[in-house]
Amino acid sequence: MPSYICTTCGTQYAETEAPREVCLICADDRQYVNAKGQGWTTLEALKENHVNDIRELEPGLIGIGSSPQIAIGERALVIQHPEGGVMWDCTPLITDAALAAIEKGGGIKAIAISHPHFYTTMVEWSRALGGLPIYLHEDNRDWVMRPDDAVHYWEGENTEIAQGITLQRTGGHFPGSTVLHWADGAGGKGVLMTGDSIMVVPDTRWVSFMYSFPNLVPLNAKAVESIVKSVRSYPFDRIYAGWWDRVLDHDGKAAVQRSAERYIAASR
């Protein structure tokens, strides 16, 4: 039986003879059901007319996306290390070229994902890479559409999954929304990988904090203050949000603070 993938959000479901009428992730008010109607595909079908877009982003870091774009355009970030690194977030397509690029960089020991809009084919990635653990926050358990023994639900506010690589729960967008801190990134100045828990906006000097980005629903001031507080102890100069062009190249920590101050002032 196939594991169907929603064409709007990219979420892969457990094996069924036929797909659901509506994707549960898209039916949630943080996402949306396509106005043209619910659509489904499979990983095998995607491989017929898509390739992985693999980019070197900085020393020790590559990005893996899909071309042409699939679903909302999710792309993964792979922190490289000779003894095995970490994949952050996910992209629906898996090809031999992407697996070879990961292996060339030292392989990975774990997968970690910010929130349900990036879960996509996480189980397929885990299996293709030897059954790696997938770290998801416990508070997002209900949005896992393809349960698997590889999924490791972590609890609390933070956890270190590799040396210098820490997951931090921010909440906000989802209860278990998470960011990743990479201490050695940006030449040792620190990198924060945020999905859209903290979103770098088109004017990349700033970030935003939203409950729903596609539906333009903002978070309240209390939630924004909580997010900023959750990352305050981490040194970071650069922010990689969830898409190729959403990178705040320097002065990231100050940008988060000044963006929050502007956001909170505007909400009063």
Side-chain angles (χ1 to χ4, degrees):
M1 290 188 294
S3 295
Y4 287 100
I5 298 171
C6 173
T7 57
T8 301
C9 73
T11 300
Q12 186 182 48
Y13 281 70
E15 294 179 348
T16 53
E17 291 185 0
R20 300 180 55 89
E21 291 186 8
V22 177
C23 170
L24 296 177
I25 299 295
C26 289
D28 180 83
D29 58 2
R30 280 160 280 223
Q31 181 54 18
Y32 59 93
V33 177
N34 195 309
K36 296 180 180 179
Q38 179 66 56
W40 298 96
T41 188
T42 63
L43 181 56
E44 291 70 27
L46 291 175
K47 289 180 178 180
E48 292 177 2
N49 52 16
H50 293 78
V51 296
N52 278 127
D53 180 6
I54 303 168
R55 308 182 189 183
E56 183 175 354
L57 303 178
E58 68 174 77
L61 182 69
I62 64 170
I64 302 176
S66 303
S67 182
Q69 178 176 310
I70 300 171
I72 61 174
E74 300 101 328
R75 62 97 179 88
L77 298 174
V78 179
I79 301 169
Q80 300 173 316
H81 191 278
E83 298 179 0
V86 171
M87 174 186 281
W88 169 250
D89 280 342
C90 201
T91 193
L93 183 68
I94 308 169
T95 63
D96 289 343
L99 297 175
I102 292 172
E103 184 65 25
K104 182 180 179 181
I108 60 173
K109 294 181 176 179
I111 299 169
I113 304 182
S114 57
H115 69 283
H117 295 161
F118 289 83
Y119 289 172
T120 69
T121 55
M122 61 181 179
V123 173
E124 300 282 359
W125 277 101
S126 170
R127 293 178 179 179
L129 291 163
L132 298 180
I134 304 167
Y135 288 87
L136 309 179
H137 198 277
E138 169 67 31
D139 289 351
N140 288 345
R141 181 190 287 265
D142 290 346
W143 285 278
V144 174
M145 298 296 119
R146 190 180 180 187
D148 190 85
D149 289 343
V151 177
H152 174 77
Y153 295 101
W154 63 278
E155 300 179 354
E157 297 306 307
N158 51 66
T159 185
E160 187 176 56
I161 60 172
Q163 185 174 359
I165 299 176
T166 303
L167 304 180
Q168 173 66 47
R169 189 189 77 86
T170 62
H173 185 39
F174 277 85
S177 281
T178 301
V179 299
L180 180 149
H181 181 254
W182 177 30
D184 292 337
K189 295 180 180 179
V191 158
L192 203 64
M193 300 178 181
T194 63
D196 54 3
S197 302
I198 300 173
M199 173 60 87
V200 178
V201 296
D203 181 348
T204 56
R205 298 171 299 170
W206 302 88
V207 300
S208 187
F209 313 88
M210 301 287 279
Y211 174 76
S212 170
F213 282 91
N215 299 318
L216 302 179
V217 182
L219 289 168
N220 60 40
K222 183 178 180 180
V224 173
E225 289 173 341
S226 179
I227 291 170
V228 174
K229 182 179 179 180
S230 74
V231 300
R232 190 166 289 152
S233 64
Y234 297 99
F236 58 93
D237 192 48
R238 185 170 298 147
I239 300 174
Y240 290 95
W243 287 267
W244 292 121
D245 60 341
R246 300 304 177 93
V247 179
L248 201 160
D249 189 65
H250 65 281
D251 201 30
K253 189 162 188 175
V256 169
Q257 185 61 45
R258 67 172 174 263
S259 297
E261 291 171 357
R262 183 174 73 167
Y263 192 97
I264 293 168
S267 68
R268 288 172 177 162

